[in-house]
Amino acid sequence: MSAKCTAIKNELREMIARLEQEHNIKLSTTQKILLSINGPVTPILDVLYGEVRLFMLDQHFENADKDIADLLGIDEGEEILYRNSIVFKHSKPLIYVLSYIPKSRCSDRVINKLLEGKTTTGRIMNESGHETIRIINDISLMKATPILTELFKTTDDMLTREYSMIHKGEIVILTKDIYPLSYFKE
Amino acid sequence: MTDKNEANKALIDKINEVEKENNKTFSNTQKILLTTDGSITAILDVLYGKITLTTIDQHFENADEAHAKLVNVPIGEQINFREVIMHKDDKPLIYAISHIPLSRCNDDICSDLIRADIPIGRILKTHDIESRREIRNIYIEEPDDKLKELFGTDEEMLARDYVIINCDEILMWIKEVFPISHFTEI
């Protein structure tokens, strides 16, 4: 039996350690998993808390400004679907989810499914059989905005994770998850 | 209010079934490790600090009927067989087996597989392979002699198997196994 041993390099561990150090915080196991999972968090929340639900706050098409266009790798002014939702359980908001979806990179079927506003982007991609690469772009701690304060009824700092789903070499969905630092401590 | 999100319903049901049938209650971390369609290596690394991959065996063999069925290739087709253990310092964490049909790998991927020291998730990432994962089974099994020796226990094992799909074909079949007492406190 031949055995070869290799330490696995993981940039995420370093990102999380840096976040803890910079803000003098200690993240829980669940928070670390939610920050480091390279995909949608809804399936994880389903497993941890029982079936969670999605509430669509806002969903509309808009023309990408320069910042969003640069993030998505599209031309400024190109049409994107802006999706703004809350994942909740028993009326308690768990995670605020913001997604940017370039319209030109999705089939009509996917766009129509998204517009129904009933299903998470991750599930839609999964059901449509899309093969993707999922990359975590950033994890950070941010100050609560007035909207977040109203939604979560707290002025706590917010943990955020931004990740991209790439299909045919292009970003098809850019998602940002946001929740209070005091959440998922158990 | 929107319809119910059933994104991961089958997996929740599966976990609940396995718990009920075996009269067990799994920890949150165990549930996540059994159901995530993301990288387990990344999760372990974030939770435990630097983990190490040891290749126990890596070779090519012609698929018998059972192996051919797992990866949906004709009997006799050559597959890469890998057997690894992820561990933290001297503690083995998860044992994994993978079967990869050679006909579905390009030369670069084959070369990385033969080197035997690169985690599969990293191979996919390095080569920009777009994929999706389908979890096939989640179950409890009795350990064979090899698992007893590797983990130093004869307790029951939690296991799952899944496929990684690329270009609508199974690129890899993977089985992951760990003792039922692992990941209960983190």
Side-chain angles (χ1 to χ4, degrees):
Chain A
M1 189 180 281
S2 67
K4 204 170 179 181
C5 202
T6 305
I8 297 162
K9 181 172 164 52
N10 188 339
E11 298 83 2
L12 279 171
R13 172 172 19 96
E14 292 154 17
M15 286 166 82
I16 285 177
R18 204 161 44 237
L19 186 71
E20 286 185 312
Q21 199 176 9
E22 276 173 11
H23 297 279
N24 195 25
I25 54 174
K26 179 83 184 140
L27 299 172
S28 71
T29 297
T30 306
Q31 287 174 330
K32 286 180 181 175
I33 289 172
L34 292 176
L35 289 173
S36 61
I37 198 85
N38 64 339
V41 291
T42 317
I44 301 287
L45 297 177
D46 274 339
V47 167
L48 295 185
Y49 299 101
E51 227 172 299
V52 295
R53 292 189 179 194
L54 182 72
F55 181 70
M56 198 58 60
L57 295 167
D58 179 27
Q59 182 166 236
H60 65 268
F61 288 107
E62 64 182 34
N63 297 321
D65 62 22
K66 188 172 182 322
D67 290 343
I68 298 299
D70 286 349
L71 274 177
L72 296 171
I74 57 174
D75 292 332
E76 191 177 341
E78 199 173 303
E79 205 170 20
I80 56 166
L81 180 62
Y82 170 88
R83 212 172 201 240
N84 191 1
S85 62
I86 281 277
V87 175
F88 71 98
K89 176 77 183 178
H90 296 144
S91 305
K92 181 183 175 176
L94 296 175
I95 293 188
Y96 172 77
V97 187
L98 185 60
S99 299
Y100 298 102
I101 302 149
K103 191 182 174 191
S104 63
R105 293 179 184 167
C106 292
S107 66
D108 289 346
R109 189 179 163 278
V110 167
I111 288 289
N112 288 336
K113 199 78 189 162
L114 287 164
L115 288 174
E116 285 175 12
K118 295 176 179 176
T119 316
T120 60
T121 52
R123 184 184 180 193
I124 291 171
M125 294 303 282
N126 201 28
E127 281 183 348
S128 60
H130 278 61
E131 294 167 2
T132 59
I133 296 173
R134 304 182 302 196
I135 297 173
I136 296 177
N137 305 323
D138 188 36
I139 56 174
S140 62
L141 192 68
M142 63 179 274
K143 293 288 172 199
T145 62
I147 290 172
L148 293 170
T149 298
E150 193 187 331
L151 281 171
F152 289 107
K153 310 289 181 217
T154 176
T155 56
D156 282 352
D157 286 346
M158 302 278 160
L159 280 170
T160 74
R161 177 191 67 138
E162 182 191 291
Y163 77 98
S164 305
M165 294 179 87
I166 295 166
H167 179 60
K168 293 184 179 168
E170 296 179 317
I171 296 173
V172 284
I173 300 177
L174 181 87
T175 298
K176 200 165 187 174
D177 301 326
I178 305 174
Y179 52 91
L181 180 60
S182 55
Y183 276 33
F184 311 115
K185 282 290 190 187
E186 294 305 315
Chain B
M1 203 55 67
T2 59
D3 286 351
K4 282 165 68 170
N5 157 37
E6 297 181 340
N8 223 31
K9 192 169 187 296
L11 287 176
I12 301 170
D13 290 346
K14 192 73 195 159
I15 284 278
N16 289 342
E17 265 174 42
V18 180
E19 283 186 316
K20 198 174 166 187
E21 279 169 11
N22 296 278
N23 195 25
K24 308 276 186 199
T25 304
F26 302 146
S27 72
N28 283 347
T29 306
Q30 287 177 330
K31 288 180 184 175
I32 290 168
L33 291 173
L34 291 170
T35 57
T36 183
D37 69 348
S39 163
I40 274 207
T41 314
I43 293 175
L44 292 179
D45 195 89
V46 165
L47 296 184
Y48 287 94
K50 191 171 283 184
I51 63 160
T52 308
L53 182 77
T54 299
T55 304
I56 299 167
D57 185 23
Q58 189 277 130
H59 66 271
F60 296 98
E61 66 182 31
N62 296 325
D64 62 15
E65 188 179 352
H67 288 146
K69 195 174 173 188
L70 287 176
V71 289
N72 196 26
V73 294
I75 294 170
E77 191 164 309
Q78 207 172 28
I79 59 172
N80 176 267
F81 175 91
R82 257 169 56 125
E83 199 178 13
V84 301
I85 190 135
M86 288 171 261
H87 49 98
K88 170 67 181 169
D89 302 325
D90 291 334
K91 184 182 164 74
L93 297 175
I94 292 184
Y95 166 83
I97 312 172
S98 62
H99 298 328
I100 306 174
L102 271 191
S103 61
R104 295 182 187 150
C105 295
N106 63 33
D107 291 345
D108 290 341
I109 299 173
C110 275
S111 159
D112 279 354
L113 284 171
I114 294 163
R115 283 171 60 196
D117 56 350
I118 308 173
I120 280 167
R122 186 160 296 275
I123 294 175
L124 296 176
K125 194 175 173 184
T126 303
H127 297 286
D128 288 334
I129 296 169
E130 295 180 355
S131 63
R132 64 191 172 88
R133 297 182 189 212
E134 276 182 11
I135 296 165
R136 294 277 163 90
N137 300 292
I138 297 171
Y139 47 97
I140 290 177
E141 67 177 16
E142 292 298 327
D144 58 17
D145 290 342
K146 181 186 281 182
L147 289 174
K148 284 179 189 171
E149 189 189 334
L150 281 170
F151 288 107
T153 177
D154 58 2
E155 66 179 301
E156 290 176 316
M157 300 280 153
L158 277 174
R160 70 168 188 166
D161 61 74
Y162 61 96
V163 289
I164 296 180
I165 296 169
N166 169 247
C167 297
D168 288 326
E169 290 189 303
I170 296 173
L171 181 63
M172 303 174 187
W173 174 89
I174 297 175
K175 178 180 175 183
E176 293 163 343
V177 185
F178 56 89
I180 201 161
S181 64
H182 275 35
F183 314 114
T184 51
E185 289 174 6
I186 190 167

